[in-house]
Amino acid sequence: MRLMGYTTEEVMGHSLLQEFITDGLQTAVQAVLVGALRVEDTANFEFPLITKAGTHIEVLLNATTQHDDQGKVSGVVGIGQDITAHLAQERDSTS
């Protein structure tokens, strides 16, 4: 959540989907996270996040299922990369 300007303490107990994902993409992001819990890893899913300052950044998400010692799903690790500048550069080079 550092990418968005928040500390761990500020986001613990809050809903990623409801509070940090734009309305139109909440269902799609939820599907990626639920899919990861069903052992469906997702690579390179792009979506905007809302920062603490209220601006939007474009994020590239990779979600991977994590397993415990018995092979049971224990959670999901999501890694997001800010690709806002990269996308802006691509738009500039094509216009």
Side-chain angles (χ1 to χ4, degrees), residues 42-63:
T42 300
N44 302 328
F45 179 77
E46 293 182 27
F47 66 99
L49 280 176
I50 304 165
T51 67
K52 185 175 181 177
T55 59
H56 289 206
I57 59 172
E58 293 292 326
V59 174
L60 184 65
L61 174 70
N62 292 290

Side-chain angles (χ1 to χ4, degrees), residues 26-70:
Q26 289 175 349
T27 301
V29 173
Q30 181 177 13
V32 168
L33 297 175
V34 169
L37 286 172
R38 294 184 181 142
V39 195
E40 301 166 8
D41 292 349
T42 300
N44 302 328
F45 179 77
E46 293 182 27
F47 66 99
L49 280 176
I50 304 165
T51 67
K52 185 175 181 177
T55 59
H56 289 206
I57 59 172
E58 293 292 326
V59 174
L60 184 65
L61 174 70
N62 292 290
T64 303
T65 308
Q66 296 298 293
H67 300 87
D68 64 17
D69 293 339
Q70 287 77 40

